[in-house]
Amino acid sequence: MKEEDAGPPKRELYAVLQVSPEATDEEIRKAYRHWAQVYHPDKYQDLHMKEIATQNFQRICEAYEVLSDENKRQIYDIYGMEGLTSGLELGPKLNKPEELKEELERLRRKKEQEKMAAHFRPSGTILANLSLPKFLDGDGIMRGMAMSSEVHSKLSKHNTIAIGGNLEVQESSGGAAASAVLRHQLSSVSSIEFIASAGLRALIGVQTTRRLSLHSTATITIAKSLRDGSINLSNSWTRQLSETANGNIQLFLGPESSLAVGWQKKDEKMSAAGELKIGTSSFGASAHYTRHFSSVSHGRIAGRFGSTALEIEVGGGRKVSNFSTVRMLYTIGIQGIFWKFELHRGGQKLIIPILLSKHLNLTFATGAFLIPTSLYFLLKKFVVKPYYLQREKRKALENKEKTSAQVQEARAAAEKAQQLLQNVANRKRNRQVETNGLIITKAVYGSEKALKKGEVLKEVNDELASEVIDVTVPLNFLVNDSGQLKLHEGVKKSGIMGFCDPCPGEPKQLYVEYTYGGQIFEVMVDDYAALSMPQESHSV
């Protein structure tokens, strides 16, 4: 995924004036006066320098013109420059804040309607059970098959409908069911759902969900079976235990009453879950742990035990595109030894469990695990990894060729901006040297990959030079008289005067080496992250 797709909204105008997106009018005026003194063309006699100053002074004035105007700033914060130059051009019809707010609200509603029209999400699962023993006995390889499909559609801002169905064939028997769920959002903290299904599990019911507090949610469901007339009641409570973990309790009352206690934890690198269920006819527990080794691959360990199941499952998966993931899992338990292949694409799943043996033979079980595992790692090392590396290099090369003219132009503009900052930056640096204050000794901004390689090499070589830009001068310029420097959170750093984007579409970072009080410090931060110097945590 490209960085621009995932990052915060672009805030180039705030970067130009070097102010926070929450800056007051007075802070914006002060920043404008400061930068105008540096870039005003009248300060320069040399024609070349005057031309450079004029170009940068225009950027300063354009940024100030938008951010100092309440209406224009409001449009820019929501829609960016596109909003100012196209659908929201200011004129006689939008010369009052009330009229502007009304127009913004109209555009928001239009956007919601467009999103609603596109909000038609299908999902489905195809499960094909295969059996190697049956195939070897000449009875065919299929054990059974099941298909389910569901479509979610937003009817209005507060109403959603989901219609689904499933079909299952097992040996010589089968069944089918259709269901519909209408969800109505009662308020920002509560909703109600009306449920109906026909076929294998014919029932009608109603479910209501309410957020009890910032960290707690409760759900109550009551349903009546149309086959035997039984009433089923379930209550569930979910509690957020931490930023990445939550727990839940579910009580089910009916012909087969049960009590279940569960726990889930998920962050960027791993996810884990566990559940203990006690019922009138059975009991059991399950747990799984998934570790993400990178953004494209993960490993998984799961276990289930109880009165009807005893098995352990290991395996892993890999993301093969932005929308597709493949998994291979190995399961051993009282029901036999299985391989399971899964393909997930968007909301669709294809799951193929293959029964290898019903008998728990140690030699066979070991071979069934080691053979595919070995094949996977061999394929990954000699086929998959080289292919993806080659593909990434090809995409990076194509992107570089496509944006080379744009990058060269941006670099030239940044170098010109740095020429005007050079004298003041040198004076500030000399002043900091005299007071043993904050001195930026090296600052490089650009490709995350290039900086990681450069950090190991301690120098950015010629091959990586095109993906980074030296920003030592503009950062020394930004050091204030108190010997401090602050870059604001949520502002893309390529917009700062003297910076540029050397690798459009790639994740970027800023690497800084500096001295303060005779000590050496270094820090690396992401493109949109805040940075304050000096900090004791940056010490080498």
Side-chain angles (χ1 to χ4, degrees):
M1 181 185 293
K2 290 184 180 182
E3 178 200 22
E4 282 80 353
D5 297 335
K10 295 181 181 180
R11 301 285 178 84
E12 286 90 346
L13 299 187
Y14 291 99
V16 168
L17 295 182
Q18 190 50 29
V19 294
S20 165
E22 288 76 40
T24 63
D25 293 342
E26 179 58 33
E27 289 171 335
I28 290 172
R29 279 193 293 271
K30 185 178 178 181
Y32 168 70
R33 289 195 295 267
H34 170 71
W35 286 104
Q37 289 175 1
V38 177
Y39 287 111
H40 201 288
D42 292 347
K43 291 188 61 177
Y44 302 93
Q45 300 301 321
D46 182 83
L47 291 177
H48 176 65
M49 298 299 284
K50 184 183 284 288
E51 182 184 351
I52 295 173
T54 301
Q55 293 172 357
N56 288 281
F57 186 67
Q58 287 174 349
R59 289 184 64 197
I60 299 297
C61 291
E62 287 170 0
Y64 180 67
E65 180 188 357
V66 173
L67 299 184
S68 62
D69 185 295
E70 180 186 354
N71 295 345
K72 290 183 179 180
R73 184 178 178 182
Q74 191 175 8
I75 295 172
Y76 175 74
D77 286 345
I78 300 173
Y79 298 102
M81 290 303 297
E82 186 179 357
L84 291 169
T85 57
S86 56
L88 277 177
E89 290 183 352
L90 294 180
K93 292 184 179 179
L94 291 176
N95 57 4
K96 296 180 181 178
E98 297 79 9
E99 294 171 348
L100 174 64
K101 289 178 182 179
E102 185 179 340
E103 178 67 6
L104 289 174
E105 186 59 35
R106 185 189 68 79
L107 286 173
R108 286 195 195 100
R109 287 197 300 269
K110 183 179 177 182
K111 223 172 184 182
E112 283 182 2
Q113 289 171 357
E114 290 173 352
K115 191 185 293 184
M116 196 184 303
H119 200 186
F120 188 77
R121 303 194 319 271
S123 62
T125 300
I126 297 176
L127 176 68
N129 282 300
L130 308 183
S131 172
L132 185 61
K134 283 189 66 176
F135 177 74
L136 295 176
D137 290 340
D139 295 332
I141 197 168
M142 293 295 299
R143 295 174 61 214
M145 193 166 184
M147 291 183 291
S148 65
S149 182
E150 191 172 57
V151 175
H152 291 257
S153 181
K154 203 160 186 178
L155 302 176
S156 65
K157 186 177 180 180
H158 300 290
N159 297 304
T160 305
I161 189 169
I163 299 174
N166 61 71
L167 176 67
E168 183 178 352
V169 178
Q170 193 74 24
E171 300 291 343
S172 58
S173 62
S179 63
V181 178
L182 176 63
R183 184 175 188 269
H184 176 68
Q185 192 74 33
L186 298 171
S187 68
S188 60
V189 297
S190 63
S191 64
I192 187 169
E193 295 181 359
F194 300 95
I195 307 164
S197 69
L200 195 61
R201 294 183 60 192
L203 59 83
I204 55 172
V206 62
Q207 173 176 291
T208 180
T209 301
R210 183 174 180 83
R211 193 169 71 237
L212 303 177
S213 68
L214 188 62
H215 303 291
S216 301
T217 303
T219 300
I220 300 176
T221 306
I222 183 168
K224 179 178 180 179
S225 171
L226 300 180
R227 296 176 67 86
D228 58 15
S230 61
I231 302 292
N232 299 281
L233 176 67
S234 70
N235 291 345
S236 64
W237 299 269
T238 301
R239 171 77 180 179
Q240 187 175 344
L241 305 175
S242 68
E243 289 185 359
T244 58
N246 62 74
N248 64 279
I249 300 174
Q250 184 176 51
L251 174 63
F252 185 85
L253 301 175
E256 296 183 1
S257 299
S258 64
L259 174 66
V261 180
W263 168 84
Q264 301 86 31
K265 179 177 176 65
K266 185 175 183 179
D267 56 32
E268 292 182 357
K269 294 185 177 180
M270 71 89 164
S271 64
E275 184 183 61
L276 175 63
K277 186 174 182 179
I278 302 173
T280 54
S281 58
S282 64
F283 75 92
S286 64
H288 81 256
Y289 173 80
T290 301
R291 173 74 178 182
H292 293 267
F293 301 110
S294 68
S295 59
V296 295
S297 62
H298 64 269
R300 176 183 171 89
I301 300 175
R304 287 177 286 274
F305 70 89
S307 58
T308 58
L310 178 60
E311 63 184 28
I312 185 169
E313 184 177 81
V314 294
R318 185 175 181 87
K319 191 174 182 179
V320 295
S321 73
N322 288 338
F323 305 101
S324 302
T325 301
V326 294
R327 276 185 184 176
M328 180 176 176
L329 304 167
Y330 171 78
T331 305
I332 181 170
I334 58 175
Q335 294 185 355
I337 302 169
F338 291 83
W339 284 343
K340 185 190 292 184
F341 299 92
E342 297 183 3
L343 171 62
H344 298 219
R345 180 169 177 80
Q348 310 297 321
K349 297 179 185 178
L350 173 62
I351 303 174
I352 306 177
I354 303 175
L355 174 64
L356 302 177
S357 174
K358 292 184 177 180
H359 307 289
L360 300 181
N361 181 283
L362 181 61
T363 305
F364 185 86
T366 304
F369 175 74
L370 292 178
I371 291 173
T373 303
S374 303
L375 284 173
Y376 168 76
F377 283 109
L378 288 172
L379 286 170
K380 181 181 178 182
K381 182 175 182 180
F382 295 108
V383 179
V384 177
K385 194 171 182 180
Y387 168 76
Y388 277 102
L389 287 174
Q390 190 65 31
R391 191 176 75 167
E392 285 182 8
K393 286 181 181 178
R394 187 170 65 252
K395 284 185 176 180
L397 185 61
E398 290 174 356
N399 185 59
K400 187 180 291 186
E401 291 174 351
K402 190 186 299 182
T403 59
S404 60
Q406 171 192 341
V407 170
Q408 287 177 9
E409 186 179 333
R411 275 184 179 277
E415 289 170 3
K416 290 177 180 179
Q418 289 192 24
Q419 288 179 36
L420 300 182
L421 297 176
Q422 184 75 62
N423 291 335
V424 178
N426 288 342
R427 286 201 299 269
K428 286 191 171 187
R429 179 188 171 104
N430 293 336
R431 200 177 303 135
Q432 294 298 319
V433 169
E434 292 173 0
T435 60
N436 213 12
L438 176 60
I439 305 161
I440 310 299
T441 55
K442 179 182 178 183
V444 183
Y445 171 74
S447 166
E448 184 180 287
K449 293 179 181 177
L451 288 180
K452 285 181 179 177
K453 293 177 183 176
E455 188 181 14
V456 174
L457 300 172
K458 291 300 178 185
E459 290 293 338
V460 178
N461 58 36
D462 293 339
E463 182 184 350
L464 304 176
S466 63
E467 300 180 19
V468 299
I469 179 173
D470 189 305
V471 292
T472 308
V473 170
L475 286 192
N476 271 311
F477 177 86
L478 291 174
V479 175
N480 62 28
D481 294 336
S482 303
Q484 295 180 328
L485 187 152
K486 182 177 181 180
L487 301 181
H488 301 287
E489 184 176 5
V491 177
K492 189 176 173 68
K493 293 175 177 57
S494 60
I496 299 172
M497 300 299 286
F499 281 59
C500 77
D501 188 344
C503 49
E506 296 292 327
K508 285 169 281 292
Q509 289 187 320
L510 172 65
Y511 174 72
V512 185
E513 290 179 4
Y514 66 95
T515 61
Y516 182 80
Q519 285 186 277
I520 300 174
F521 299 82
E522 67 175 6
V523 60
M524 186 179 289
V525 293
D526 292 333
D527 202 5
Y528 291 92
L531 174 61
S532 295
M533 295 185 288
Q535 292 277 345
E536 191 62 38
S537 58
H538 301 163
S539 61
V540 177

